[in-house]
Every structure is written in structure tokens, then in C-alpha cells.
Amino acid sequence: MGIRWPNEIPKDTSTTITIYSSDADLLKTTGMHLLEGRDININQYPADSFSVLLNETAVKTMGLKNPVGQIIINPFDKIDWHVVEL
């Protein structure tokens, strides 16, 4: 069993969604741009150590309509990831 998300409708059991960790300034370092939400900033928002950035492909694959504010559940590490940006 992989990660879970609100209103999940299993479409393809062969799809893998991987979560990577990052240091501060990921967007600035990579040149990525936000479509919605805010950047992860653990200095300003300590709970951001449990936050996640989703790319457009992940949002589409997961079928999320309004991803910012949603919770992504990872039963392997027992962490609920809070979506703060897209």
C-alpha cells in the first residue's frame, strides 16, 4: 500500500508517486515557479517539515481538484504530509 490522498479513486496500481526531501530554497535553487500556495519555509512555519510540494503531474495523477491544504498520507513512515504548494 502506497501513499493515500483525499477522495482517492485507484486508477492504476502500477503508478508510483515518490516523495523526496529537500533543504530550504528549493524553488529558488531550481528555478521552479509556484502555480498555487506558498514556498516551504521551516524557519517561518516549523510544521513545514511535514509539508509537501506537488508537481502538476502528481496532482493530475491523483485527481486532486484543489490540492493546497490537502493531506497526503504515507503509511510507511506514518507521516501525514500537508500540501502547501503546487
Side-chain angles (χ1 to χ4, degrees), residues 6 11 15-16 43 50 55-57 62 66 71 77 81 84:
K11 297 178 184 175
T15 299
T16 300
N43 295 318
F50 298 105
N55 65 24
E56 291 178 272
T57 301
M62 297 166 84
N66 298 301
I71 302 295
D77 59 14
W81 298 95
V84 295

Side-chain angles (χ1 to χ4, degrees), residues 24-25 38-49 51 84:
D25 297 324
R38 61 172 176 77
D39 197 1
I40 293 175
N41 182 338
I42 61 170
N43 295 318
Q44 186 174 0
Y45 306 100
D48 273 3
S49 59
S51 294
V84 295

Side-chain angles (χ1 to χ4, degrees), residues 19-23:
I19 297 175
Y20 295 97
S21 61
S22 171
D23 290 349

Side-chain angles (χ1 to χ4, degrees), residues 71-82:
I71 302 295
I72 307 300
I73 301 163
N74 187 341
F76 293 111
D77 59 14
K78 297 181 175 66
I79 294 176
D80 292 350
W81 298 95
H82 183 247

Side-chain angles (χ1 to χ4, degrees), residues 14 54 67 69 72:
S14 67
L54 296 177
I72 307 300

